[in-house]
Amino acid sequence: MNSDKIRIAVFVSGGGTNLQALIDAQKGGILHSGEITLVVSSNPGAYAINRAAAAGIEAVTVCRKELGDQFEIQLLRVLDKHRIEMIVLAGFMSILSADFISHYENRIINIHPSLIPSFCGKGMYGLHVHEAALAYGVKVSGATAHYVTEVTDGGRIILQKAVRVRQDDTPESLQKRIMKQAEWDILPRAAQQVAKKLQKEKTDGHRPATI
Ligand code: GRF
């Protein structure tokens, strides 16, 4: 690995299609200022772990259910061991505490499947987001890549992409289209933007700030 590159951990819990988009972006040169050096799964059965293995990336499982109040301590230990400099939450189904986030201030990003500030915050994850969007009757939804702060889905926005809602959409069809058309596109590009900024700060010897 190129030692100038920002060492990235991708946090996952499920299928890992966003992880796959990041891996593909790395192979294709879109993500070039950072390198995915670790995948952390909160779920031992996540298919994302297979995707990491296929790409030759080390994966570890850190399970909140098993670890209880040691969960974040263990996460920090693993990140430290791998000298991780940036974290991408890609379908990670666990809320991180303000204390954990303070260790990686302006170094954690997330993908959310709506146009923030719509349909976000507590309880707005997975299909709930798309159910709420359809129930409201919005004609446009989309995805947002943003920094992670202690306010759920409240960190500074990095990139957004809109997706048209169809009259016959179900939560499932809307979810799929938003993933395909928006999430898999903007998450790798946002990761590149942040990695580039961190890389520059590392070279210049500055503390990270948001873009
Ligand atoms: C995506 O819809 C993402 O926006 C949400 O969880 C889903 C993750 O899918 N947070 P995958 O594991 O990346 O396939």
Side-chain angles (χ1 to χ4, degrees):
M1 130 158 208
N2 180 336
S3 62
D4 291 346
K5 292 195 180 189
I6 295 297
R7 295 173 68 85
I8 301 174
V10 182
F11 283 23
V12 297
S13 300
T17 59
N18 279 290
L19 167 66
Q20 192 63 55
L22 289 159
I23 292 170
D24 295 346
Q26 187 167 283
K27 284 193 187 133
I30 292 167
L31 173 57
H32 57 86
S33 297
E35 180 153 345
I36 306 163
T37 49
L38 182 68
V39 168
V40 176
S41 176
S42 63
N43 162 17
Y47 186 71
I49 295 171
N50 301 42
R51 296 183 190 270
I57 301 167
E58 187 174 342
V60 294
T61 300
V62 183
C63 183
R64 196 190 279 273
K65 256 195 225 147
E66 274 169 24
L67 292 162
D69 59 5
Q70 294 295 301
F71 174 64
E72 289 190 346
I73 295 168
Q74 182 59 21
L75 271 183
L76 287 172
R77 224 177 262 149
V78 167
L79 296 175
D80 224 43
K81 185 178 155 209
H82 287 84
R83 292 177 287 115
I84 296 302
E85 299 168 287
M86 172 180 160
I87 299 169
V88 179
L89 307 184
F92 186 62
M93 299 302 282
S94 209
I95 301 276
L96 297 166
S97 74
D99 178 63
F100 178 91
I101 293 164
S102 71
H103 288 268
Y104 285 89
E105 206 185 346
N106 296 327
R107 290 172 178 273
I108 312 178
I109 69 170
N110 180 45
I111 183 77
H112 182 76
S114 75
L115 294 175
I116 290 176
S118 292
F119 315 117
C120 63
K122 214 164 169 248
M124 282 292 168
Y125 60 89
L127 279 177
H128 298 303
V129 179
H130 308 293
E131 279 160 9
L134 292 178
Y136 201 97
V138 292
K139 303 301 175 211
V140 172
S141 190
T144 305
H146 63 93
Y147 281 100
V148 173
T149 64
E150 68 282 4
V151 181
T152 306
D153 301 325
R156 210 178 159 73
I157 290 170
I158 305 163
L159 288 174
Q160 284 189 309
K161 191 168 178 186
V163 172
R164 206 169 288 280
V165 176
R166 290 187 189 151
Q167 221 163 16
D168 59 351
D169 259 329
T170 60
E172 289 79 4
S173 67
L174 184 58
Q175 179 184 49
K176 257 192 211 144
R177 207 160 61 257
I178 288 177
M179 289 174 85
K180 249 192 179 160
Q181 292 183 6
E183 294 179 42
W184 303 342
D185 174 31
I186 65 172
L187 184 62
R189 289 197 287 121
Q192 166 55 24
Q193 278 189 29
V194 175
K196 190 175 171 190
K197 179 183 69 74
L198 292 174
Q199 195 181 38
K200 184 170 183 313
E201 283 165 357
K202 194 155 78 166
T203 320
D204 298 350
H206 291 154
R207 271 178 66 83
T210 52
I211 289 169

Short mmCIF file of all heavy atoms in Angstrom, two decimals, residues 64-101:
data_model
loop_
_atom_site.label_atom_id
_atom_site.label_comp_id
_atom_site.label_asym_id
_atom_site.label_seq_id
_atom_site.Cartn_x
_atom_site.Cartn_y
_atom_site.Cartn_z
N ARG A 64 -22.04 -5.63 19.08
CA ARG A 64 -22.52 -4.91 20.27
C ARG A 64 -23.22 -5.86 21.24
O ARG A 64 -23.07 -5.75 22.45
CB ARG A 64 -23.46 -3.78 19.86
CG ARG A 64 -23.68 -2.76 20.99
CD ARG A 64 -24.79 -1.79 20.67
NE ARG A 64 -24.43 -0.69 19.80
CZ ARG A 64 -23.93 0.48 20.23
NH1 ARG A 64 -23.70 0.70 21.49
NH2 ARG A 64 -23.66 1.43 19.36
N LYS A 65 -24.00 -6.78 20.67
CA LYS A 65 -24.76 -7.72 21.51
C LYS A 65 -23.84 -8.52 22.42
O LYS A 65 -24.13 -8.77 23.58
CB LYS A 65 -25.54 -8.71 20.62
CG LYS A 65 -27.02 -8.37 20.55
CD LYS A 65 -27.78 -9.54 19.97
CE LYS A 65 -28.77 -9.03 18.94
NZ LYS A 65 -29.01 -9.93 17.83
N GLU A 66 -22.71 -8.95 21.85
CA GLU A 66 -21.77 -9.76 22.63
C GLU A 66 -20.94 -8.91 23.59
O GLU A 66 -20.63 -9.34 24.69
CB GLU A 66 -20.78 -10.46 21.69
CG GLU A 66 -21.29 -11.77 21.15
CD GLU A 66 -20.38 -12.26 20.04
OE1 GLU A 66 -19.19 -11.89 20.00
OE2 GLU A 66 -20.90 -13.02 19.19
N LEU A 67 -20.59 -7.70 23.15
CA LEU A 67 -19.61 -6.91 23.92
C LEU A 67 -20.23 -5.93 24.91
O LEU A 67 -19.55 -5.46 25.82
CB LEU A 67 -18.70 -6.15 22.95
CG LEU A 67 -17.78 -7.05 22.14
CD1 LEU A 67 -17.25 -6.32 20.92
CD2 LEU A 67 -16.59 -7.51 22.99
N GLY A 68 -21.50 -5.61 24.74
CA GLY A 68 -22.17 -4.68 25.66
C GLY A 68 -21.42 -3.36 25.77
O GLY A 68 -21.09 -2.75 24.75
N ASP A 69 -21.10 -2.94 27.00
CA ASP A 69 -20.46 -1.63 27.16
C ASP A 69 -18.98 -1.63 26.74
O ASP A 69 -18.31 -0.60 26.81
CB ASP A 69 -20.65 -1.08 28.59
CG ASP A 69 -20.07 -2.02 29.64
OD1 ASP A 69 -19.45 -3.04 29.25
OD2 ASP A 69 -20.24 -1.74 30.84
N GLN A 70 -18.49 -2.80 26.33
CA GLN A 70 -17.11 -2.86 25.81
C GLN A 70 -17.06 -2.66 24.29
O GLN A 70 -15.98 -2.65 23.68
CB GLN A 70 -16.49 -4.24 26.14
CG GLN A 70 -16.29 -4.47 27.63
CD GLN A 70 -15.27 -3.52 28.21
OE1 GLN A 70 -14.12 -3.50 27.78
NE2 GLN A 70 -15.68 -2.68 29.16
N PHE A 71 -18.24 -2.51 23.68
CA PHE A 71 -18.34 -2.44 22.22
C PHE A 71 -17.43 -1.36 21.62
O PHE A 71 -16.58 -1.65 20.78
CB PHE A 71 -19.81 -2.19 21.83
CG PHE A 71 -20.05 -1.96 20.36
CD1 PHE A 71 -19.79 -2.96 19.43
CD2 PHE A 71 -20.55 -0.74 19.91
CE1 PHE A 71 -20.04 -2.74 18.08
CE2 PHE A 71 -20.80 -0.52 18.57
CZ PHE A 71 -20.54 -1.52 17.64
N GLU A 72 -17.59 -0.13 22.08
CA GLU A 72 -16.81 0.96 21.48
C GLU A 72 -15.34 0.89 21.89
O GLU A 72 -14.47 1.30 21.12
CB GLU A 72 -17.42 2.31 21.86
CG GLU A 72 -18.75 2.51 21.13
CD GLU A 72 -19.31 3.92 21.26
OE1 GLU A 72 -18.83 4.68 22.13
OE2 GLU A 72 -20.24 4.24 20.50
N ILE A 73 -15.08 0.37 23.07
CA ILE A 73 -13.68 0.20 23.51
C ILE A 73 -12.98 -0.76 22.56
O ILE A 73 -11.87 -0.53 22.09
CB ILE A 73 -13.63 -0.29 24.98
CG1 ILE A 73 -14.20 0.80 25.88
CG2 ILE A 73 -12.23 -0.71 25.39
CD1 ILE A 73 -14.48 0.39 27.30
N GLN A 74 -13.69 -1.83 22.23
CA GLN A 74 -13.13 -2.82 21.31
C GLN A 74 -12.96 -2.23 19.91
O GLN A 74 -11.94 -2.46 19.24
CB GLN A 74 -14.02 -4.07 21.29
CG GLN A 74 -13.54 -5.21 20.41
CD GLN A 74 -12.15 -5.72 20.80
OE1 GLN A 74 -11.68 -5.52 21.92
NE2 GLN A 74 -11.49 -6.36 19.85
N LEU A 75 -13.96 -1.45 19.49
CA LEU A 75 -13.87 -0.80 18.16
C LEU A 75 -12.61 0.06 18.10
O LEU A 75 -11.82 -0.04 17.14
CB LEU A 75 -15.06 0.12 17.94
CG LEU A 75 -16.34 -0.44 17.32
CD1 LEU A 75 -17.35 0.69 17.14
CD2 LEU A 75 -16.07 -1.11 15.98
N LEU A 76 -12.41 0.89 19.13
CA LEU A 76 -11.25 1.80 19.14
C LEU A 76 -9.95 1.01 19.14
O LEU A 76 -8.98 1.40 18.48
CB LEU A 76 -11.31 2.73 20.36
CG LEU A 76 -12.39 3.83 20.29
CD1 LEU A 76 -12.51 4.56 21.62
CD2 LEU A 76 -12.09 4.82 19.17
N ARG A 77 -9.95 -0.10 19.84
CA ARG A 77 -8.75 -0.95 19.91
C ARG A 77 -8.40 -1.47 18.50
O ARG A 77 -7.25 -1.40 18.06
CB ARG A 77 -9.06 -2.14 20.83
CG ARG A 77 -7.93 -2.45 21.79
CD ARG A 77 -8.29 -3.58 22.72
NE ARG A 77 -8.75 -3.11 24.00
CZ ARG A 77 -9.63 -3.72 24.78
NH1 ARG A 77 -10.21 -4.85 24.38
NH2 ARG A 77 -9.96 -3.24 25.95
N VAL A 78 -9.42 -1.97 17.81
CA VAL A 78 -9.21 -2.53 16.47
C VAL A 78 -8.74 -1.43 15.51
O VAL A 78 -7.81 -1.63 14.71
CB VAL A 78 -10.53 -3.17 15.97
CG1 VAL A 78 -10.46 -3.48 14.49
CG2 VAL A 78 -10.85 -4.43 16.76
N LEU A 79 -9.35 -0.27 15.61
CA LEU A 79 -9.01 0.85 14.70
C LEU A 79 -7.57 1.31 14.96
O LEU A 79 -6.82 1.61 14.02
CB LEU A 79 -9.98 2.01 14.89
CG LEU A 79 -11.44 1.70 14.53
CD1 LEU A 79 -12.33 2.89 14.88
CD2 LEU A 79 -11.58 1.35 13.05
N ASP A 80 -7.23 1.33 16.22
CA ASP A 80 -5.89 1.74 16.62
C ASP A 80 -4.85 0.77 16.07
O ASP A 80 -3.83 1.16 15.52
CB ASP A 80 -5.84 1.70 18.15
CG ASP A 80 -5.16 2.91 18.69
OD1 ASP A 80 -5.44 4.00 18.16
OD2 ASP A 80 -4.32 2.75 19.61
N LYS A 81 -5.16 -0.51 16.25
CA LYS A 81 -4.24 -1.56 15.79
C LYS A 81 -3.97 -1.43 14.29
O LYS A 81 -2.86 -1.68 13.83
CB LYS A 81 -4.87 -2.92 16.11
CG LYS A 81 -3.98 -4.09 15.81
CD LYS A 81 -4.62 -5.41 16.19
CE LYS A 81 -4.02 -6.52 15.36
NZ LYS A 81 -4.95 -7.62 15.14
N HIS A 82 -5.00 -1.05 13.53
CA HIS A 82 -4.84 -0.94 12.07
C HIS A 82 -4.47 0.48 11.64
O HIS A 82 -4.50 0.77 10.45
CB HIS A 82 -6.12 -1.41 11.37
CG HIS A 82 -6.29 -2.90 11.43
ND1 HIS A 82 -6.85 -3.54 12.50
CD2 HIS A 82 -5.94 -3.87 10.56
CE1 HIS A 82 -6.86 -4.83 12.28
NE2 HIS A 82 -6.31 -5.06 11.11
N ARG A 83 -4.20 1.35 12.60
CA ARG A 83 -3.80 2.74 12.33
C ARG A 83 -4.78 3.43 11.37
O ARG A 83 -4.41 4.06 10.38
CB ARG A 83 -2.36 2.80 11.77
CG ARG A 83 -1.33 2.39 12.83
CD ARG A 83 0.08 2.38 12.28
NE ARG A 83 0.29 1.23 11.40
CZ ARG A 83 0.54 1.29 10.10
NH1 ARG A 83 0.65 2.46 9.51
NH2 ARG A 83 0.71 0.20 9.39
N ILE A 84 -6.07 3.27 11.69
CA ILE A 84 -7.12 3.84 10.84
C ILE A 84 -7.21 5.35 11.02
O ILE A 84 -7.19 5.85 12.15
CB ILE A 84 -8.48 3.16 11.15
CG1 ILE A 84 -8.44 1.67 10.80
CG2 ILE A 84 -9.63 3.87 10.43
CD1 ILE A 84 -8.11 1.34 9.36
N GLU A 85 -7.32 6.05 9.88
CA GLU A 85 -7.35 7.52 9.91
C GLU A 85 -8.72 8.09 9.52
O GLU A 85 -8.99 9.27 9.73
CB GLU A 85 -6.30 8.07 8.94
CG GLU A 85 -4.88 7.65 9.31
CD GLU A 85 -3.90 7.96 8.21
OE1 GLU A 85 -3.93 7.24 7.17
OE2 GLU A 85 -3.12 8.90 8.36
N MET A 86 -9.57 7.25 8.93
CA MET A 86 -10.87 7.74 8.45
C MET A 86 -11.85 6.56 8.45
O MET A 86 -11.45 5.43 8.19
CB MET A 86 -10.67 8.30 7.04
CG MET A 86 -11.95 8.68 6.34
SD MET A 86 -11.56 9.32 4.67
CE MET A 86 -13.18 9.08 3.92
N ILE A 87 -13.11 6.87 8.75
CA ILE A 87 -14.13 5.81 8.82
C ILE A 87 -15.29 6.15 7.88
O ILE A 87 -15.77 7.28 7.87
CB ILE A 87 -14.68 5.69 10.27
CG1 ILE A 87 -13.56 5.31 11.24
CG2 ILE A 87 -15.82 4.67 10.34
CD1 ILE A 87 -13.94 5.43 12.72
N VAL A 88 -15.72 5.16 7.10
CA VAL A 88 -16.89 5.33 6.26
C VAL A 88 -17.98 4.38 6.78
O VAL A 88 -17.77 3.16 6.82
CB VAL A 88 -16.59 5.00 4.77
CG1 VAL A 88 -17.85 5.16 3.93
CG2 VAL A 88 -15.47 5.88 4.24
N LEU A 89 -19.11 4.95 7.20
CA LEU A 89 -20.24 4.12 7.62
C LEU A 89 -21.05 3.80 6.37
O LEU A 89 -21.57 4.70 5.71
CB LEU A 89 -21.11 4.86 8.65
CG LEU A 89 -20.39 5.43 9.88
CD1 LEU A 89 -21.41 6.05 10.84
CD2 LEU A 89 -19.60 4.34 10.60
N ALA A 90 -21.12 2.51 6.04
CA ALA A 90 -21.80 2.10 4.80
C ALA A 90 -22.86 1.06 5.17
O ALA A 90 -22.62 -0.14 5.10
CB ALA A 90 -20.78 1.53 3.82
N GLY A 91 -24.01 1.56 5.62
CA GLY A 91 -25.06 0.64 6.05
C GLY A 91 -24.75 0.06 7.42
O GLY A 91 -25.07 -1.10 7.70
N PHE A 92 -24.11 0.86 8.27
CA PHE A 92 -23.76 0.41 9.62
C PHE A 92 -24.95 0.70 10.53
O PHE A 92 -25.39 1.84 10.64
CB PHE A 92 -22.52 1.17 10.10
CG PHE A 92 -21.96 0.70 11.41
CD1 PHE A 92 -21.49 -0.60 11.53
CD2 PHE A 92 -21.87 1.55 12.49
CE1 PHE A 92 -20.94 -1.05 12.73
CE2 PHE A 92 -21.33 1.12 13.69
CZ PHE A 92 -20.86 -0.19 13.81
N MET A 93 -25.47 -0.35 11.17
CA MET A 93 -26.76 -0.24 11.86
C MET A 93 -26.64 0.05 13.35
O MET A 93 -27.55 -0.28 14.11
CB MET A 93 -27.57 -1.54 11.65
CG MET A 93 -27.89 -1.84 10.22
SD MET A 93 -28.83 -0.50 9.45
CE MET A 93 -30.44 -0.85 10.12
N SER A 94 -25.53 0.63 13.76
CA SER A 94 -25.34 0.89 15.17
C SER A 94 -25.02 2.37 15.34
O SER A 94 -24.21 2.91 14.59
CB SER A 94 -24.18 0.01 15.65
OG SER A 94 -24.33 -0.31 16.99
N ILE A 95 -25.65 3.01 16.32
CA ILE A 95 -25.38 4.44 16.56
C ILE A 95 -24.11 4.55 17.41
O ILE A 95 -23.98 3.88 18.43
CB ILE A 95 -26.57 5.12 17.29
CG1 ILE A 95 -27.86 4.98 16.47
CG2 ILE A 95 -26.25 6.57 17.63
CD1 ILE A 95 -28.06 6.00 15.39
N LEU A 96 -23.20 5.42 17.01
CA LEU A 96 -21.95 5.61 17.74
C LEU A 96 -22.09 6.77 18.72
O LEU A 96 -22.74 7.78 18.42
CB LEU A 96 -20.81 5.87 16.75
CG LEU A 96 -20.54 4.71 15.79
CD1 LEU A 96 -19.67 5.15 14.63
CD2 LEU A 96 -19.88 3.53 16.53
N SER A 97 -21.47 6.65 19.88
CA SER A 97 -21.61 7.69 20.91
C SER A 97 -20.77 8.93 20.57
O SER A 97 -19.83 8.87 19.77
CB SER A 97 -21.14 7.14 22.27
OG SER A 97 -19.73 7.04 22.26
N ALA A 98 -21.12 10.03 21.25
CA ALA A 98 -20.36 11.28 21.06
C ALA A 98 -18.90 11.05 21.45
O ALA A 98 -17.98 11.58 20.81
CB ALA A 98 -20.97 12.39 21.91
N ASP A 99 -18.68 10.24 22.47
CA ASP A 99 -17.32 9.98 22.91
C ASP A 99 -16.51 9.28 21.81
O ASP A 99 -15.39 9.68 21.48
CB ASP A 99 -17.32 9.13 24.19
CG ASP A 99 -15.90 8.81 24.62
OD1 ASP A 99 -15.18 9.77 24.94
OD2 ASP A 99 -15.51 7.62 24.60
N PHE A 100 -17.12 8.25 21.21
CA PHE A 100 -16.43 7.54 20.13
C PHE A 100 -16.13 8.51 18.98
O PHE A 100 -15.00 8.57 18.47
CB PHE A 100 -17.28 6.37 19.61
CG PHE A 100 -16.64 5.65 18.47
CD1 PHE A 100 -15.81 4.56 18.70
CD2 PHE A 100 -16.82 6.09 17.16
CE1 PHE A 100 -15.18 3.91 17.63
CE2 PHE A 100 -16.20 5.45 16.10
CZ PHE A 100 -15.38 4.36 16.34
N ILE A 101 -17.15 9.28 18.60
CA ILE A 101 -17.01 10.19 17.46
C ILE A 101 -15.90 11.21 17.70
O ILE A 101 -15.16 11.57 16.78
CB ILE A 101 -18.37 10.86 17.15
CG1 ILE A 101 -19.38 9.81 16.65
CG2 ILE A 101 -18.22 11.98 16.10
CD1 ILE A 101 -20.82 10.25 16.67
#
